[in-house]
Amino acid sequence: MNMFFKNAFCITILLIAGQLLSYGQKTGAIYAVSKQYNGILLNDRGSKLNIQFIKPAVVRVRFVPEGNFKDNGTDVCIPQKYKPVNFTVQQHVGLVVLQSASLKLVISTKTGSIQYFNHSGKLLLAENPDHPRITEKVTLNKTIFNDAGSKVEKTANGDQATANITNKEAVGTACKARQQFTWQPGEALYGLGSHQENYMNLRGTMQYLYEYNLKKSIPVLMSTKGYGLLFDAGSAMVFHDDTLGSFMDMLAINQVDYYFMYGPEFDQIVHHFRNLTGKVELSPKYMFGYIQSKERYTNQHEVDSVFNRFRSSHIPLDVIVQDWLYWKDGLWGYKKFDEKKYPDPAKMIDNVHSQNGHFMMSIWPQVALNEEKEMGEKGFILGRKMYDAYNPAARKMYWDDYVNKNLFSKGVDAWWPDSSEPVEFDWNRGANNIANDPAARFEKNVKVMADLLGAQRVNTYSLHHIMGIYENQRKTNSKKRVVILTRASYPGQQRYGAMVWNGDTKATWNDFKSWIPGGLNYMVTGSPYWTIDAGAFFVRSKAEWFSKGDFEKGTADSGYREFYVRNIQYAGWLPVLRSHGTDFAREPWQFGKAGEVFYDAIIKQIDLRYRLLPYTYSLAGMVTNQDYTMTRSLLFDFRNDPKVYDIKDEFMFGNSFLVCPVTDPMYYAPGNKQLQGVEKTRSLYLPYGVKWFDFWTGKQYDGGQTIVADAPIDHIPVFVKAGSIVPMGPVIEYSSQQPDAPWEIRLYPGSNAKFTVYEDEGDNYNYQKGKWASFNLSWDDKKHTLTIGERKGAFDGMVKKRTLNIVLVKAGAGTGVTESEGKKIEYNSHQTIVKL
């Protein structure tokens, strides 16, 4: 890593002779100002700064040190023509002021620095006043690979082709750029994706942004001052708010290109983000049930027997997953079942379908055998046996000739594009030497990615890979919603039916602690669907640094059983509930049997997941239709309560549930060592301004206080905000099951409340054609009256008449997983008023 990224002071001195004058080292105006569509252009001897209103509350800033503006080519933002925005321009000595209905921008014509104010004049954000942007020219290289001479090495990430680089050719130039800011005292920052450093508030930290197993880098920042920033660049980046300064470094770009998005509430900022980068696809209802996976089911008989056992045991399940190595030995990533292990894959998948289940399977960007030969002949290979996902023709061939022909045509419902980074240095055993050196790991991982993809595309392979799967499946069949669970992510991926998990984690309590803020910082960025391998991927301790789990005996160890239960209890409140990992199988019966505490706790959480499906799927409808965020940082709902700014282990599920995971052992240490004297409780903070109900007991608490809550092995602390309405269905065995049983409508009094129930066919794209229905639930707290609104809309298979069991929650009533007695009414799609 060169001096540009090591020391801010050195960088400034280094650039003074070359270009610092263009940032205003003289008195008087330097930039010439001209008005352009929705904004202005500032021009100074070749350097250009364009400031453009996208909407009254959204601004795009672009800068080039010389030449013309040139897009960074990320495909992060969707192409669109923006409507005219009413704004005014006023010029003063050394300043130009832009004002829209929502924002006022004050720009220095000496340095080009921008200050952002809200409509009432309150400062939101300021760029560094003296040096807002610093750039340095870099050479871009194209790497020439010789795959015929590469070797295949076995790693924890499967068989990986080594890089046999024969040459590098200079193919142009780009910029390294530093965009500098001045944050305000007391301001808290969030976002940047899913990382493992256990940060919640990012102030006072630094973060490397690149894609690898345990990093999902999303260059979006959200501020408690009520704004967000989206950096539209595909290169590796480094965020700093430390002794070196406050800035975002971008290693290889054509132009500085960022968006300022004003809310002030986080939901409003997310709305702006999705208007720029794409709306979230509505996932099928089955993805909000329970997903069973492991590394791995080894043959057709095992898949059949496991799924059949779920059904015969009446354990709820919607999806079973086939991990890697379903292909013939030695053909890593080959998109075809091995006939010896899977003699009739269509029959295997039909067995799942016949029992109302769904089948997900792993696919890889690597190509093998005829795939490699055929794509290579067309120039569709990047190197290291990876197909060129940036080429639309290559994406189409990948789908048509291999994925669709050999897998989708057999009945596969959902995709798991694993290793979508698609290469990294960390999987090599030699990485153990730099396991605790983030800077060295950044440098080496970025190098192998830049060699394969190019320095400007280090972070964007997954976006284009997922784009190809989505677009081509949509062209093939619209009866199944596209479902993609992938390990890498980037802004824009949410528009392609994509979900992400936090990577191949290891089973330690300290690691578990870091997953929660990592996930919250990912989901706060506008990409809402994130999950974990419940139980962690690596359980035992292996040679590689990233795989040193604490539980050598796995499911035979009560310490691991407790760890797994707490994982499931946490994951049950994520958008996706999925159990997966290596070393030991993860089906519920691996952890005991009925009547035993660990088994019963697992089933209890799965049952609760299914009881909440009416609530959860309605939230999913809000995510798609209203740009909502399902699993939410406390900042979404309590931005004005500074006490929540750095809480790492609490979050909201929808607008109602406050979830407080347990991240320390209370019963057993690793190795079946029983713990003594550990209280089965945890301390937690109840956000200010509302009252809270204990979900398990109905007891009420005032907000704005820290309490100690019970946390026995069968549940974690969960609270419900007063003024909530929660629709709950019966316990079912799969998401599309419709038993003749009432829905329970739980009312949490203390304030007025509203909730909109959303329903559709559960799969296919008919909802985009208007085939969906909803009805409003409104609680008048003063009158103790629930109004159930008239149902709007319709779809095939809709339940037109349903019994609703109305329950007013109080101590000992309307609590926990079990159904409660209430006032039953028949709802037949017409407005109904219920007095309680």
Side-chain angles (χ1 to χ4, degrees), residues 331-441:
L331 301 179
W332 199 273
Y334 195 46
K335 283 152 281 293
K336 191 173 183 180
F337 284 101
D338 182 346
E339 295 89 346
K340 291 184 179 179
K341 302 172 187 173
Y342 303 86
D344 194 342
K347 182 179 179 181
M348 173 184 67
I349 298 171
D350 283 346
N351 177 58
V352 174
H353 290 166
S354 69
Q355 299 181 76
N356 301 290
H358 294 82
F359 190 85
M360 174 185 280
M361 72 181 306
S362 169
I363 52 175
W364 290 59
Q366 283 97 326
V367 290
L369 207 63
N370 63 297
E371 301 170 348
E372 182 181 6
K373 178 177 182 297
E374 293 160 0
M375 296 194 91
E377 288 173 348
K378 294 181 178 292
F380 292 168
I381 305 296
L382 288 171
R384 298 183 67 154
K385 302 185 185 297
M386 300 290 173
Y387 91 103
D388 184 0
Y390 296 97
N391 185 327
R395 296 197 297 263
K396 186 175 187 302
M397 185 175 182
Y398 177 89
W399 172 265
D400 286 345
D401 292 7
Y402 312 122
V403 176
N404 181 36
K405 180 180 178 181
N406 298 325
L407 303 175
F408 191 59
S409 64
K410 308 296 183 187
V412 174
D413 301 295
W415 305 108
W416 177 11
D418 204 348
S419 197
S420 51
E421 294 84 5
V423 293
E424 57 183 79
F425 177 82
D426 271 356
W427 289 114
N428 301 310
R429 192 158 292 181
N432 285 350
N433 297 328
I434 57 171
N436 297 314
D437 187 343
R441 287 175 47 226

Side-chain angles (χ1 to χ4, degrees), residues 212-255:
Y212 90 103
N213 172 26
L214 298 175
K215 275 188 178 290
K216 329 299 155 195
S217 293
I218 304 290
V220 172
L221 282 169
M222 302 282 274
S223 168
T224 52
K225 295 298 180 182
Y227 68 85
L229 298 172
L230 163 64
F231 298 87
D232 188 357
S235 72
M237 306 183 201
V238 186
F239 165 80
H240 277 271
D241 183 46
D242 52 21
T243 56
L244 294 181
S246 300
F247 52 84
M248 181 71 83
D249 279 337
M250 295 158 276
L251 273 62
I253 58 174
N254 295 324
Q255 61 185 21

Side-chain angles (χ1 to χ4, degrees), residues 282-301:
L282 181 55
S283 289
K285 192 174 183 180
Y286 67 77
M287 284 301 293
F288 300 102
Y290 175 60
I291 301 171
Q292 184 63 63
S293 181
K294 75 168 186 177
E295 196 279 307
R296 64 188 176 88
Y297 298 120
T298 58
N299 55 58
Q300 182 170 335
H301 173 72

Side-chain angles (χ1 to χ4, degrees), residues 55 86 125 198 209 238 246 316 334 339 383 399 422 459 471 514 541 549 551 561 596 613 630 785:
K55 288 190 172 184
N86 291 324
L125 171 67
N198 201 23
L209 272 64
V238 186
S246 300
Y334 195 46
E339 295 89 346
W399 172 265
N459 282 331
E471 291 178 344
S514 74
S541 181
F551 303 96
R561 293 186 176 199
E596 295 180 353
L613 268 178
M630 182 183 295
T785 298

Side-chain angles (χ1 to χ4, degrees), residues 300 321 446 541 630 763 824:
Q300 182 170 335
V321 184
V446 169
S541 181
M630 182 183 295
D763 206 347
K824 290 184 173 63

Side-chain angles (χ1 to χ4, degrees), residues 785-796:
T785 298
L786 175 69
T787 300
I788 307 167
E790 183 175 358
R791 190 194 302 271
K792 299 178 181 179
F795 57 90
D796 292 344

Side-chain angles (χ1 to χ4, degrees), residues 526-541:
S527 299
Y529 290 141
W530 179 95
T531 188
I532 65 168
D533 288 348
F537 185 74
F538 297 105
V539 179
R540 293 186 174 117
S541 181

